[in-house]
Amino acid sequence: LILNNIEVLYEDFLKGDMKEPIEICRKNSTLVGKEVYILDREKKRKVKAVDIDDNGILIVENEYGKLENIVSGEVSVRGVE
């Protein structure tokens, strides 16, 4: 049953339809709604993960309240309270 679902999602992916996989990621994300660290080029910034967009890009709110798209870099929840 699980493999059948994965096959359907994979077929959608091959057609360029990412709607359902992205929705699954949003629903089951351990990041969205939490304070996280973004580690990029040896810099560490504390932000709040607010959503995952329709392309799978993580949207965060920085310390100034501005939304940013995080396309690459490491995201960590370690040490965040």
Side-chain angles (χ1 to χ4, degrees):
L1 183 63
I2 291 174
L3 289 178
N4 291 338
N5 289 336
I6 290 173
E7 185 175 350
V8 169
L9 292 172
Y10 182 66
E11 288 173 5
D12 289 346
F13 168 76
L14 292 176
K15 294 178 200 170
D17 181 3
M18 295 297 294
K19 185 176 180 179
E20 190 172 351
I22 295 296
E23 200 52 45
I24 291 169
C25 289
R26 280 186 183 119
K27 184 178 178 181
N28 296 293
S29 174
T30 59
L31 298 177
V32 174
K34 295 201 170 66
E35 298 279 324
V36 298
Y37 286 115
I38 301 294
L39 308 169
D40 186 26
R41 296 185 189 149
E42 315 251 345
K43 291 179 3 185
K44 183 176 178 179
R45 301 184 299 134
K46 189 174 182 181
V47 298
K48 181 176 183 178
V50 294
D51 199 2
I52 298 171
D53 79 4
D54 292 339
N55 296 308
I57 295 171
L58 181 64
I59 301 171
V60 300
E61 182 179 337
N62 67 22
E63 62 271 21
Y64 305 108
K66 183 177 176 186
L67 296 180
E68 296 179 34
N69 294 336
I70 304 300
V71 177
S72 66
E74 184 176 341
V75 179
S76 174
V77 294
R78 275 190 216 162
V80 178
E81 295 182 27

